[in-house]
Amino acid sequence: MDIKAYIESGILELYVAGQLSEQENQDIYDLLHQHPELLQEVLEIESAVVKLTAAVSPHAIDFDSFKGKLGLTDTKVVDLKPKKPNWMSYTGWAASILLAGGLLWTLNQKTELELQLQTAETDKQYLETQIEDARTDLAATKNLLDVIRDKDIIAVPLGGQGDYATSFAKVYWNKADNTIYVDAEGLPNAPQGKVWQVWSLTLNPLTPTSLGTIDDFNTDDNKIFTIANANESQAFGITLEPEGGSESPTMDQLYTLGVIDATP
Amino acid sequence: MADLDILVNQFQNKNQVAFKKLYGMYSKSIHGVVYNIVKDADIADELMQDVFIKAWHKADTYSSKKGRFFTWILNIARNAAIDKTRSKAFKQSKQNLNADYFVDIIAGHENLDDSTDAIGIKKFVTQLGEKCKAVIELLYFKGFTQKEASEELQMPLGTVKTRNRNCIQQLRDMVL
């Protein structure tokens, strides 16, 4: 077969134009598979005609504006658009975090409040104790006042002696129940290793009798001490003695001394 | 050809990506062909789209043994456009259909895209002989058979064939 003559006949141009019979089309189809140069010729003819016919068109219409008319948009190519953010998920997470934070805060608040409550409870107990103490103090003071006001009481002022002229004390003696109340607020605190010792005296002859030491002098608040006294005392004295007290008073350590009125 | 065969095969299997590619390759040509027949841009738009919709729905009727895919769809387009010109509504609205050939349309395009092809084609059509213009018009745009063209142009059947060959050869020289 003379390929060149076949091409020159112009049959391939008619083939592209669609003006051949079904049999001729079938023949050419077979020939195109056998002769690549024939196929190349067809491709060039077609390409030229495609360009020529396209040149006649006043404008193009793009595929997207037309495909809607196909009625097959449901099978269109899947767009690789970025996935929309899942706001429900984000909101859920945010809510969870807020809730967790809220719970932690509440827990923290609870612990703090419990601590405050505990502190308040302690304060309350402390205040209750203070009130109790104050009541006790008040009762003691009232009791003391009652004692001092008692018509049977003998008040004995004890004046400062010698170097200790600024010192003073008072003894309230209830002869009915053999008790003395020493108000020693006018005495200084006993130095380390020393205690105050209270003496009952008879004057002729001068005989001291120990009524005991005041061991809790420095820590006592009202400096009033209750001491038993069954003696027929004529005077009272207070000396500073070594811890544990002495048999007889150390006279140069006699701070205060007071004589009982002969006519009570 | 292999690539085109695959594409056409995918198109026949309702692959829209393949359809889009074929549309991109041929839609402007089809539009040009129908526009040359109906001489109305709006009607041509509608016709061209109808042609592709028809091709999509009747894709399984195409066979490469019957001819080129382009030729197949070109045939659908010409028939659709000619049917349109025969409709009563079209005849009434287009009483004074002008007799311009494709060459006059191309030459009349003021705003042809500045591509080399477009410039080459415009140059070609203005230089083309009257006989060439007529042969191409009838065979490719109007779908005349070789015999019909021979009668229309009052030239022997074989002359139509060889003249057409020469005219297309000139076109190829210009645009390819």
Side-chain angles (χ1 to χ4, degrees):
Chain A
M1 182 185 172
D2 188 345
I3 298 298
K4 197 165 187 300
Y6 190 76
I7 289 170
E8 290 301 328
S9 74
I11 192 171
L12 296 179
E13 282 79 2
L14 292 179
Y15 173 70
V16 171
Q19 306 303 349
L20 300 179
S21 70
E22 203 167 312
Q23 185 57 53
E24 286 171 310
N25 285 331
Q26 179 71 62
D27 293 343
I28 291 174
Y29 176 79
D30 294 337
L31 285 172
L32 293 180
H33 282 82
Q34 294 162 29
H35 305 281
E37 60 270 49
L38 287 184
L39 176 61
Q40 185 58 35
E41 189 72 13
V42 167
L43 290 178
E44 287 183 18
I45 292 162
E46 183 178 278
S47 181
V49 174
V50 166
K51 284 183 179 176
L52 176 68
T53 48
V56 179
S57 169
H59 57 250
I61 298 171
D62 69 357
F63 185 75
D64 291 337
S65 68
F66 142 80
K67 70 178 177 186
K69 296 184 178 181
L70 278 177
L72 290 170
T73 46
D74 54 328
T75 55
K76 70 179 178 184
V77 184
V78 175
D79 288 335
L80 289 176
K81 277 181 191 162
K83 200 182 167 191
K84 276 187 180 176
N86 188 345
W87 289 113
M88 282 298 283
S89 171
Y90 288 171
T91 310
W93 278 109
S96 299
I97 290 163
L98 278 174
L99 188 65
L103 282 173
L104 276 175
W105 184 79
T106 307
L107 197 69
N108 198 38
Q109 284 293 104
K110 182 177 166 282
T111 311
E112 200 170 310
L113 283 171
E114 273 178 354
L115 202 67
Q116 284 183 1
L117 195 65
Q118 214 172 348
T119 308
E121 188 69 23
T122 309
D123 284 352
K124 181 171 161 275
Q125 281 174 4
Y126 174 69
L127 285 172
E128 275 176 0
T129 309
Q130 283 198 325
I131 290 166
E132 191 62 35
D133 287 352
R135 279 182 184 162
T136 309
D137 284 354
L138 187 62
T141 307
K142 271 184 176 175
N143 187 45
L144 198 62
L145 201 60
D146 288 345
V147 167
I148 291 165
R149 281 176 175 168
D150 195 293
K151 64 178 174 61
D152 295 330
I153 211 110
I154 299 161
V156 185
L158 277 60
Q161 303 295 310
D163 291 344
Y164 317 113
T166 56
S167 301
F168 66 92
K170 262 182 178 172
V171 170
Y172 301 91
W173 185 16
N174 188 340
K175 272 190 164 178
D177 61 2
N178 294 323
T179 304
I180 60 165
Y181 302 89
V182 182
D183 180 357
E185 210 177 14
L187 293 177
N189 278 346
Q192 187 75 30
K194 303 270 186 177
V195 289
W196 294 110
Q197 193 163 1
V198 183
W199 304 90
S200 166
L201 306 163
T202 52
L203 297 173
N204 289 305
L206 183 62
T207 312
T209 307
S210 177
L211 296 178
T213 54
I214 306 171
D215 296 329
D216 58 349
F217 182 91
N218 291 1
T219 55
D220 194 275
D221 282 335
N222 58 12
K223 308 292 185 201
I224 293 174
F225 306 96
T226 308
I227 300 166
N229 177 28
N231 302 294
E232 286 297 319
S233 307
Q234 292 178 308
F236 294 104
I238 299 173
T239 56
L240 193 61
E241 302 293 342
E243 217 163 326
S246 304
E247 287 294 315
S248 56
T250 309
M251 291 314 288
D252 62 345
Q253 292 291 315
L254 178 66
Y255 272 59
T256 56
L257 181 68
V259 179
I260 300 161
D261 253 339
T263 52
Chain B
M1 183 175 181
D3 287 349
L4 184 64
D5 285 346
I6 292 165
L7 203 59
V8 169
N9 198 261
Q10 289 172 339
F11 163 75
Q12 289 182 302
N13 289 321
K14 303 294 180 190
N15 180 324
Q16 287 204 40
V17 176
F19 185 30
K20 187 175 181 177
K21 278 188 183 172
L22 291 170
Y23 181 93
M25 287 163 71
Y26 304 127
S27 67
K28 203 159 191 294
S29 293
I30 297 306
H31 192 256
V33 168
V34 296
Y35 178 72
N36 185 50
I37 294 170
V38 300
K39 304 284 196 298
D40 181 294
D42 291 340
I43 294 171
D45 290 354
E46 196 181 312
L47 272 173
M48 184 275 283
Q49 294 181 35
D50 288 347
V51 167
F52 276 88
I53 291 165
K54 193 173 181 180
W56 174 251
H57 291 305
K58 292 182 176 293
D60 57 345
T61 66
Y62 169 73
S63 166
S64 57
K65 288 174 183 168
K66 295 179 186 173
R68 300 287 297 166
F69 180 80
F70 171 70
T71 306
W72 179 69
I73 200 164
L74 175 66
N75 205 40
I76 295 171
R78 286 187 302 223
N79 290 339
I82 289 162
D83 281 353
K84 187 72 181 178
T85 60
R86 286 172 185 163
S87 75
K88 201 175 176 182
F90 184 86
K91 279 179 182 169
Q92 282 174 348
S93 66
K94 297 284 177 182
Q95 286 296 337
N96 301 317
L97 201 62
N98 68 55
D100 284 353
Y101 279 180
F102 73 95
V103 278
D104 305 309
I105 295 168
I106 293 172
H109 284 335
E110 290 298 329
N111 55 346
L112 265 182
D113 9 352
D114 290 335
S115 70
T116 317
D117 284 351
I119 294 163
I121 288 166
K122 195 165 183 175
K123 195 174 166 187
F124 159 73
V125 296
T126 52
Q127 292 171 352
L128 210 58
E130 288 305 312
K131 296 284 183 187
C132 264
K133 291 174 187 173
V135 166
I136 290 173
E137 173 79 18
L138 294 178
L139 290 179
Y140 294 94
F141 287 90
K142 296 285 168 62
F144 277 41
T145 63
Q146 189 183 352
K147 187 166 179 290
E148 286 167 345
S150 161
E151 287 165 2
E152 177 79 14
L153 299 172
Q154 296 179 328
M155 61 173 70
L157 212 65
T159 309
V160 170
K161 200 172 169 183
T162 50
R163 185 178 292 276
N164 182 49
R165 158 82 187 157
N166 292 335
C167 293
I168 294 298
Q169 191 61 51
Q170 284 176 43
L171 177 65
R172 284 162 60 181
D173 292 344
M174 298 296 289
V175 304
L176 297 185

